[in-house]
mmCIF file of all heavy atoms in Angstrom:
data_model
loop_
_atom_site.group_PDB
_atom_site.id
_atom_site.type_symbol
_atom_site.label_atom_id
_atom_site.label_comp_id
_atom_site.label_asym_id
_atom_site.label_seq_id
_atom_site.Cartn_x
_atom_site.Cartn_y
_atom_site.Cartn_z
ATOM 1 N N GLY A 29 103.943 107.088 96.995
ATOM 2 C CA GLY A 29 102.935 106.495 97.877
ATOM 3 C C GLY A 29 102.810 104.996 97.641
ATOM 4 O O GLY A 29 103.533 104.400 96.831
ATOM 5 N N PHE A 30 101.851 104.408 98.333
ATOM 6 C CA PHE A 30 101.606 102.959 98.318
ATOM 7 C C PHE A 30 100.468 102.638 97.362
ATOM 8 O O PHE A 30 99.443 103.339 97.407
ATOM 9 C CB PHE A 30 101.228 102.515 99.736
ATOM 10 C CG PHE A 30 100.637 101.144 99.818
ATOM 11 C CD1 PHE A 30 101.449 100.036 99.972
ATOM 12 C CD2 PHE A 30 99.258 100.949 99.740
ATOM 13 C CE1 PHE A 30 100.900 98.761 100.041
ATOM 14 C CE2 PHE A 30 98.702 99.681 99.799
ATOM 15 C CZ PHE A 30 99.528 98.589 99.949
ATOM 16 N N LEU A 95 104.457 111.652 99.395
ATOM 17 C CA LEU A 95 102.995 111.568 99.306
ATOM 18 C C LEU A 95 102.501 110.357 100.084
ATOM 19 O O LEU A 95 102.996 109.231 99.878
ATOM 20 C CB LEU A 95 102.544 111.467 97.844
ATOM 21 C CG LEU A 95 101.021 111.383 97.652
ATOM 22 C CD1 LEU A 95 100.543 112.335 96.560
ATOM 23 C CD2 LEU A 95 100.556 109.963 97.335
ATOM 24 N N SER A 96 101.539 110.596 100.965
ATOM 25 C CA SER A 96 100.835 109.545 101.699
ATOM 26 C C SER A 96 101.805 108.612 102.422
ATOM 27 O O SER A 96 102.423 109.039 103.397
ATOM 28 C CB SER A 96 99.886 108.794 100.765
ATOM 29 O OG SER A 96 98.892 108.186 101.539
ATOM 30 N N MET A 97 102.024 107.368 101.978
ATOM 31 C CA MET A 97 103.013 106.544 102.665
ATOM 32 C C MET A 97 104.377 107.232 102.647
ATOM 33 O O MET A 97 105.158 107.110 103.595
ATOM 34 C CB MET A 97 103.100 105.149 102.030
ATOM 35 C CG MET A 97 104.051 104.221 102.765
ATOM 36 S SD MET A 97 104.079 102.537 102.121
ATOM 37 C CE MET A 97 105.157 102.736 100.697
ATOM 38 N N GLY A 98 104.635 107.994 101.568
ATOM 39 C CA GLY A 98 105.873 108.782 101.509
ATOM 40 C C GLY A 98 105.936 109.785 102.658
ATOM 41 O O GLY A 98 107.017 110.136 103.134
ATOM 42 N N TYR A 100 104.389 109.196 105.679
ATOM 43 C CA TYR A 100 104.638 108.399 106.900
ATOM 44 C C TYR A 100 106.144 108.157 107.050
ATOM 45 O O TYR A 100 106.685 108.153 108.156
ATOM 46 C CB TYR A 100 103.948 107.023 106.855
ATOM 47 C CG TYR A 100 102.484 106.986 106.485
ATOM 48 C CD1 TYR A 100 101.910 105.808 105.988
ATOM 49 C CD2 TYR A 100 101.661 108.097 106.624
ATOM 50 C CE1 TYR A 100 100.568 105.738 105.644
ATOM 51 C CE2 TYR A 100 100.322 108.036 106.268
ATOM 52 C CZ TYR A 100 99.788 106.856 105.773
ATOM 53 O OH TYR A 100 98.464 106.790 105.417
ATOM 54 N N LYS A 122 98.978 111.508 106.449
ATOM 55 C CA LYS A 122 98.417 111.561 107.803
ATOM 56 C C LYS A 122 99.548 111.562 108.825
ATOM 57 O O LYS A 122 100.600 110.969 108.551
ATOM 58 C CB LYS A 122 97.640 110.273 108.107
ATOM 59 C CG LYS A 122 96.368 110.036 107.356
ATOM 60 C CD LYS A 122 95.846 108.649 107.781
ATOM 61 C CE LYS A 122 94.833 108.098 106.814
ATOM 62 N NZ LYS A 122 93.558 108.780 106.830
ATOM 63 N N ARG A 134 94.466 95.987 107.118
ATOM 64 C CA ARG A 134 95.770 95.912 106.447
ATOM 65 C C ARG A 134 96.341 94.499 106.567
ATOM 66 O O ARG A 134 96.873 93.958 105.598
ATOM 67 C CB ARG A 134 96.743 96.908 107.083
ATOM 68 C CG ARG A 134 96.393 98.356 106.805
ATOM 69 C CD ARG A 134 97.652 99.156 106.646
ATOM 70 N NE ARG A 134 97.469 100.563 106.936
ATOM 71 C CZ ARG A 134 97.403 101.507 105.989
ATOM 72 N NH1 ARG A 134 97.436 101.188 104.718
ATOM 73 N NH2 ARG A 134 97.301 102.772 106.341
ATOM 74 N N MET A 153 91.061 100.452 94.854
ATOM 75 C CA MET A 153 91.719 101.720 95.209
ATOM 76 C C MET A 153 91.404 102.878 94.269
ATOM 77 O O MET A 153 91.528 104.043 94.667
ATOM 78 C CB MET A 153 93.240 101.528 95.261
ATOM 79 C CG MET A 153 93.715 100.847 96.537
ATOM 80 S SD MET A 153 95.515 100.769 96.665
ATOM 81 C CE MET A 153 95.889 102.419 97.283
ATOM 82 N N LEU A 157 91.667 106.864 95.147
ATOM 83 C CA LEU A 157 92.874 107.626 94.804
ATOM 84 C C LEU A 157 92.560 108.893 94.005
ATOM 85 O O LEU A 157 93.279 109.884 94.110
ATOM 86 C CB LEU A 157 93.840 106.765 93.983
ATOM 87 C CG LEU A 157 94.526 105.603 94.711
ATOM 88 C CD1 LEU A 157 95.444 104.848 93.755
ATOM 89 C CD2 LEU A 157 95.339 106.103 95.903
ATOM 90 N N MET A 192 102.882 99.660 107.527
ATOM 91 C CA MET A 192 102.015 100.830 107.768
ATOM 92 C C MET A 192 101.103 100.576 108.965
ATOM 93 O O MET A 192 100.819 101.488 109.743
ATOM 94 C CB MET A 192 101.176 101.151 106.520
ATOM 95 C CG MET A 192 101.973 101.820 105.424
ATOM 96 S SD MET A 192 100.934 102.510 104.098
ATOM 97 C CE MET A 192 100.374 101.034 103.267
ATOM 98 N N ARG A 195 102.763 101.551 112.208
ATOM 99 C CA ARG A 195 103.446 102.842 112.357
ATOM 100 C C ARG A 195 102.904 103.587 113.584
ATOM 101 O O ARG A 195 101.769 103.360 114.009
ATOM 102 C CB ARG A 195 103.321 103.674 111.082
ATOM 103 C CG ARG A 195 101.963 104.238 110.836
ATOM 104 C CD ARG A 195 101.861 104.900 109.464
ATOM 105 N NE ARG A 195 100.672 105.729 109.412
ATOM 106 C CZ ARG A 195 99.437 105.271 109.219
ATOM 107 N NH1 ARG A 195 99.214 103.976 109.061
ATOM 108 N NH2 ARG A 195 98.416 106.111 109.201
ATOM 109 N N ILE A 219 91.006 109.894 101.238
ATOM 110 C CA ILE A 219 91.854 109.069 102.121
ATOM 111 C C ILE A 219 92.444 109.954 103.221
ATOM 112 O O ILE A 219 92.404 109.621 104.399
ATOM 113 C CB ILE A 219 92.983 108.380 101.319
ATOM 114 C CG1 ILE A 219 92.403 107.461 100.233
ATOM 115 C CG2 ILE A 219 93.902 107.592 102.255
ATOM 116 C CD1 ILE A 219 93.445 106.761 99.376
ATOM 117 N N HIS A 245 93.467 112.157 96.022
ATOM 118 C CA HIS A 245 94.674 111.739 96.741
ATOM 119 C C HIS A 245 95.924 111.845 95.853
ATOM 120 O O HIS A 245 97.022 112.038 96.344
ATOM 121 C CB HIS A 245 94.451 110.285 97.179
ATOM 122 C CG HIS A 245 95.411 109.768 98.186
ATOM 123 N ND1 HIS A 245 95.557 110.305 99.440
ATOM 124 C CD2 HIS A 245 96.286 108.711 98.128
ATOM 125 C CE1 HIS A 245 96.459 109.599 100.122
ATOM 126 N NE2 HIS A 245 96.928 108.645 99.342
HETATM 127 C C1 MLT B 301 99.196 105.848 99.935
HETATM 128 O O1 MLT B 301 98.736 106.518 99.006
HETATM 129 O O2 MLT B 301 100.419 105.759 100.138
HETATM 130 C C2 MLT B 301 98.221 105.079 100.809
HETATM 131 O O3 MLT B 301 96.948 105.616 100.673
HETATM 132 C C3 MLT B 301 98.666 105.103 102.247
HETATM 133 C C4 MLT B 301 97.759 104.283 103.136
HETATM 134 O O4 MLT B 301 97.273 103.223 102.716
HETATM 135 O O5 MLT B 301 97.566 104.691 104.298
#
Side-chain angles (χ1 to χ4, degrees):
F30 166 88
L95 180 133
S96 202
M97 184 176 80
Y100 310 158
K122 292 176 198 289
R134 291 216 204 255
M153 282 186 82
L157 291 180
M192 285 192 288
R195 72 187 195 281
I219 300 179
H245 194 61

